[in-house]
Amino acid sequence: MEFVRLLLVFLHLLGMGMLIAMFFVQRRAGADAPLNKGWLHGSALQLLTGIALVGLAPLTDQDYDHVKIGIKGVVVVLIAALVAVNVNKPRPATWLTPTLAGLVVLNVGIAVFWT
């Protein structure tokens, strides 16, 4: 079971890395470029692996702060919702990419500093 937990943590971190990379990809593409679908894939990976990790907690003797997990879930759902609404637009709003990046940094900060 520990291998499954570690695999989920690995995938969860890859999803976070994907979201950070999407910020740089989006910035390089320019302000008038459509939103990259990697934002949606990264946020989905974060959400699904996070849910799986919390679901496996009783089997792996992990104890999570459910308020922290709930707030992190709301933030990642907000990221996914903003991306889902804007992914098919030919030109997203100029505030969207910095906002998405800020939400990603907020989620990482909550994960690291909330003890």
Side-chain angles (χ1 to χ4, degrees):
M1 193 53 62
E2 181 66 10
F3 174 76
V4 174
R5 188 187 73 81
L6 291 175
L7 180 64
L8 288 170
V9 169
F10 174 75
L11 291 172
H12 195 68
L13 290 173
L14 283 179
M16 183 254 319
M18 183 184 296
L19 289 173
I20 292 170
M22 285 304 102
F23 171 71
F24 293 111
V25 167
Q26 200 68 46
R27 295 281 295 186
R28 183 163 183 135
D32 49 340
L35 201 59
N36 193 305
K37 291 186 180 174
W39 285 105
L40 199 56
H41 298 281
S43 60
L45 184 59
Q46 285 269 278
L47 185 61
L48 293 175
T49 56
I51 290 170
L53 281 166
V54 172
L56 285 178
L59 301 175
T60 58
D61 295 326
Q62 299 294 314
D63 187 30
Y64 296 113
D65 182 344
H66 293 288
V67 175
K68 172 183 172 180
I69 298 300
I71 291 172
K72 285 180 54 57
V74 167
V75 172
V76 78
V77 166
L78 181 59
I79 292 169
L82 285 171
V83 172
V85 167
N86 291 287
V87 75
N88 291 325
K89 292 183 179 177
R91 184 170 186 228
T94 56
W95 56 265
L96 185 61
T97 301
T99 301
L100 291 172
L103 288 170
V104 171
V105 170
L106 173 67
N107 228 7
V108 173
I110 291 170
V112 171
F113 296 112
W114 186 326
T115 56

